Each structure stands twice: as structure tokens, then as C-alpha cells.
Amino acid sequence: MKIKSIESFILTDRLKEAFYFSQWEYSERRICIVKITSDTGHVGWGEGYGPAGVIKAGVEFLTPFVVGQNPLLTETIWSTMYRRTLDFARRGILVSAISAIDVALWDLKGKILEQPVHQLLGGKKRDTIVPYATGLYFTNNGNMSKLLPKEARQYVALGYKAMKMKVGLSLEEDLAYVRLVREAIGPDIKLMIDANHAYNLREAVQLARAVEPYNIFWFEEPLSPEYYGQYAELRAKTTIPIAGGECEYLRFGFQTLLQAGSVDFIQPDICATGGLTEAKRIATLASVYGVEVVPHTWGTGIAIAAAMHFVSNLDTLPGRLRMPVNYMEYDRTENGLREALTTTDMVVKNGEIRITDSPGLGFELHEEVLHQYNQTESVCISDINNFTLAES
Ligand code: MG
């Protein structure tokens, strides 16, 4: 059995309404999707997190080392890809390219063996997980003091038990919006805040202490991901748990984060950090440090499905009779690709998602939709130029 071909596509969805966070504005979503076909006629799908055009170039660089190999040998293929990139890109976008291929290979392996990916990862340790709604971004199309509480109430009405809002505009505005959102959702819903590394240590301590009365479940990326020691300092100065790691790559990046005692939660993005193969190693490493794992996701149904299978396989440490909830990120911002490209039976019901036992990652990908959004041909030059506006 052999891998016959790897194809990559850049899909673009122009947003009806731009939104922004502490770093830049989104006016479109652009994602690199990978299709791997075996000589048995099976197909697996993956995606990379990050600038789509650069990831596509990385996938094309890696393709000759992967085509012709046995698709069941996910770890062997991962090692080959890692060795071929290590000298040039120990972190960053080539690792996202590895991730996109790796996720597609796990989907393909599941389809070939007619097993769900969670089973291939070693077993499903829970049937349901709790998605937290990621939204509550900023917009110039209305009064945010009204829009943010309204959006937060909509998530409650839809049954979500947890949600995450953006901060990082200014300490005064952040405090005002956090207060309004907490008042809107009541005391029982989990509320996380995410600064996308907008602040220095002094500011982050100020904001953390100011929002402590609002029962914040975690404070995500308060500081630049480079300041591992300052994360640890912040942790010691607030009662709010600290989260981070969506910008970390491979187990080696997470080792630095964990050794420094920087965070209470790590947030590997499976489509950037090295795929499911490496994410499983990162989860094992986190268990050594007793740190919780809640993956970052920002993409299509492929990325979401990969995160669901991963979370269902996570060990819960410590174990106990009444097991704690396992969360995963569930982006609710506008993204036509996420809504239209795939369908799955893993849907939110009463604030929970039941993990599928369908083969592979458990979704149907609609190729006619892929071709509708495909802008691969025209993207080569404009992709980099649009990066600051269009990509994360
Ligand atoms: Mg984040």
C-alpha cells in the first residue's frame, strides 16, 4: 500500500463583516487544505494553521519525501518530514506543513483501517467533550458595549457552558467589557479572556488583578510567547490560571514553556504544532508536569475534528470518580469554510459534543465546496502581502 498523491489547496472566504482583536483585523479567512490519496483509492484530509501560501509551499517541499511511503506508517513518515526540515525550520511554518500532512495521514489511516482516529490514538477515554465558544471579537459596526453582551447571551441560549472573549485593547476597555459580559451571562458560565500577547508584565498583572472578581477561568496569552519567565511571574501574582502555547511548536517548544512553570493550561494547535503524532507526545509531556491540555483550533471542520479525537484520547490527571470536564476550543466567528466544507455528526447538543465512531476523523468533505473556495492559482503573490490582514 502506497501514498499516491498529495494535493494542497488554498481556500479563501471573504467575510461579510470584518472583525479584529488586539493584533490585527480579519477581513477574510484563508486556509491551506491538504488531500492525500492512497493507491487503494482512499482519501485523507488535513489542514495547516498559519499563512496558507507559505504552508502550501512547505507541503510541496515535503511531498517528494512522503509520496510512495506506506500511509499506515504515520510516525515513520513524521520522522522523515522532521529530519528534512530540522536544519531550516525548527519552529514555525514548516512545522505547520508537517502538521497538515500528518493530520491528513491520520484521517487516511482511519479510512483505510475503517477505524475512528481516537481508536488509533489508543482509545476514547470519554464520549463527550465540552466546547467553549470562541467569539466576542471587536467590530467597528456598532456599539461594543451592547454587541458583546448580546453575543455572549446568544452563546448561553445555544447551550454553551463556556466562552472566551478577547481583551487587549486597553486596560480600561478590557475591564469594562469583561464586566458587561460577565453580567450578561450570569455566574455559572465559564469565561476565559485572551489578550493575544498584547501586554507587558506590568499591564498584565494590572488587568489580571482587576478582573479577578469576575471569576475568569483562564487568562490566555497575556504576554509575548517569548517571555517564559514573565509568564511564571504573572502566575504568582494573580489567582487567575494562565493559558498559552498556541504559538509553540513541537514537544521541544512546550518543554520550554513547561519547564519555566509558565502556564496552568497548554494550548497546542494540532494543525501547527506537529500534527496529531506530535500533539500526543506533547500531551504526554504535559502530564509529566501536571498541566492541563486544551487544544487551540482556528480553522475548518478538519481542524476541529482532529482536536475532538485528540481530546477524547487525553488522559485525565488526576483521575477521580467524578471526572472533570475536558474542554476544546470551538471558534464561532464568521467562517464560511468551516460551515460549508465538511459535515459531521459531531455537533453541539446541550453544550456538549459526542465523539463520533465513524472512520478516520469522522467528517464528509464536499469537494465541490472546496473547488468553489479554491484560490490556489491566484494566491502566490498576494498571499504574503495580505498576511497581516488576513491570516493568523
Ligand atoms: Mg488565543
Side-chain angles (χ1 to χ4, degrees):
M1 192 186 310
K2 285 185 174 152
I3 293 167
K4 194 171 90 179
S5 65
I6 300 180
E7 298 162 77
S8 49
F9 309 89
I10 295 173
L11 308 192
T12 304
D13 179 40
R14 194 88 197 153
L15 299 181
K16 293 190 203 81
E17 192 174 302
F19 59 87
Y20 65 96
F21 65 116
S22 69
Q23 300 298 333
W24 59 72
E25 185 182 82
Y26 282 101
S27 54
E28 65 179 21
R29 304 294 287 263
R30 185 175 290 179
I31 300 173
C32 177
I33 302 292
V34 169
K35 175 184 181 183
I36 302 186
T37 308
S38 65
D39 62 2
T40 54
H42 295 89
V43 170
W45 295 95
E47 74 176 270
Y49 168 58
V54 194
I55 294 175
K56 185 173 182 347
V59 170
E60 287 166 358
F61 167 73
L62 291 164
T63 294
F65 312 117
V66 179
V67 168
Q69 294 212 48
N70 181 337
L72 302 183
L73 307 183
T74 41
E75 214 169 285
T76 306
I77 296 171
W78 193 96
S79 296
T80 301
M81 294 192 289
Y82 175 61
R83 194 171 62 79
R84 297 304 301 224
T85 56
L86 176 62
D87 291 21
F88 318 111
R90 289 166 56 218
R91 305 284 185 271
I93 211 70
L94 269 178
V95 184
S96 295
I98 291 175
S99 308
I101 291 174
D102 182 81
V103 168
L105 284 175
W106 278 94
D107 186 36
L108 178 59
K109 182 154 82 166
K111 302 259 181 62
I112 291 169
L113 298 176
E114 298 184 351
Q115 298 288 333
V117 165
H118 61 70
Q119 196 137 308
L120 302 177
L121 288 170
K124 185 169 61 171
K125 294 167 190 152
R126 58 198 55 81
D127 291 321
T128 59
I129 54 182
V130 173
Y132 72 80
T134 282
L136 303 166
Y137 279 68
F138 309 118
T139 172
N140 292 318
N141 299 319
N143 179 345
M144 287 197 294
S145 297
K146 292 201 172 79
L147 291 175
L148 289 172
K150 184 180 168 197
E151 183 184 343
R153 277 192 293 269
Q154 284 169 352
Y155 295 135
V156 176
L158 289 167
Y160 287 97
K161 299 172 180 176
M163 68 185 77
K164 187 168 79 188
M165 65 181 293
K166 291 295 174 184
V167 293
L169 294 182
S170 70
L171 300 187
E172 296 74 21
E173 287 173 287
D174 292 347
L175 178 57
Y177 292 142
V178 168
R179 181 173 54 78
L180 287 171
V181 168
R182 173 51 83 195
E183 284 171 2
I185 64 177
D188 298 330
I189 304 289
K190 296 274 189 297
L191 177 64
M192 300 83 148
I193 61 173
D194 184 0
N196 295 93
H197 48 78
Y199 290 127
N200 62 31
L201 178 59
R202 174 183 55 79
E203 295 166 322
V205 170
Q206 279 180 351
L207 178 61
R209 287 180 174 167
V211 298
E212 278 174 7
Y214 301 105
N215 192 18
I216 304 302
F217 191 64
W218 74 51
F219 187 178
E220 178 173 324
E221 284 205 306
L223 309 162
S224 168
E226 310 290 11
Y227 295 122
Y228 299 99
Q230 290 195 353
Y231 269 80
E233 274 188 68
L234 173 63
R235 263 184 92 202
K237 289 178 176 169
T238 177
T239 57
I240 300 176
I242 303 299
E246 68 182 71
C247 305
E248 292 294 343
Y249 295 87
L250 304 172
R251 74 203 97 127
F252 306 103
F254 282 92
Q255 183 185 30
T256 309
L257 192 71
L258 291 162
Q259 275 181 336
S262 301
V263 293
D264 300 274
F265 295 89
I266 62 163
Q267 301 172 297
D269 190 303
I270 291 155
C271 296
T273 201
L276 281 161
T277 300
E278 187 70 356
K280 192 165 165 61
R281 295 171 181 145
I282 290 166
T284 303
L285 179 66
S287 74
V288 174
Y289 288 86
V291 169
E292 292 173 69
V293 183
V294 183
H296 173 265
T297 57
W298 182 258
T300 73
I302 302 170
I304 292 171
M308 288 174 182
H309 284 264
F310 171 74
V311 172
S312 77
N313 173 250
L314 281 176
D315 277 328
T316 302
L317 297 171
R320 56 183 185 243
L321 180 62
R322 294 182 182 170
M323 284 298 211
V325 166
N326 280 78
Y327 293 96
M328 64 163 279
E329 180 159 26
Y330 202 61
D331 170 27
R332 297 292 85 202
T333 59
E334 184 191 342
N335 184 350
L337 302 172
R338 187 189 62 227
E339 301 306 321
L341 188 63
T342 56
T343 47
T344 175
D345 58 359
M346 292 192 284
V347 293
V348 181
K349 204 170 174 188
N350 301 322
E352 297 184 350
I353 293 174
R354 185 160 290 277
I355 305 301
T356 189
D357 290 324
S358 298
L361 289 171
F363 57 76
E364 289 288 318
L365 189 138
H366 308 295
E367 292 212 40
E368 71 282 5
V369 176
L370 181 140
H371 292 299
Q372 182 190 328
Y373 284 104
N374 184 13
Q375 298 213 338
T376 303
E377 298 306 320
S378 61
V379 83
C380 295
I381 295 169
S382 64
D383 188 48
I384 304 295
N385 295 335
N386 288 338
F387 166 61
T388 52
L389 283 180
E391 310 253 16
S392 59

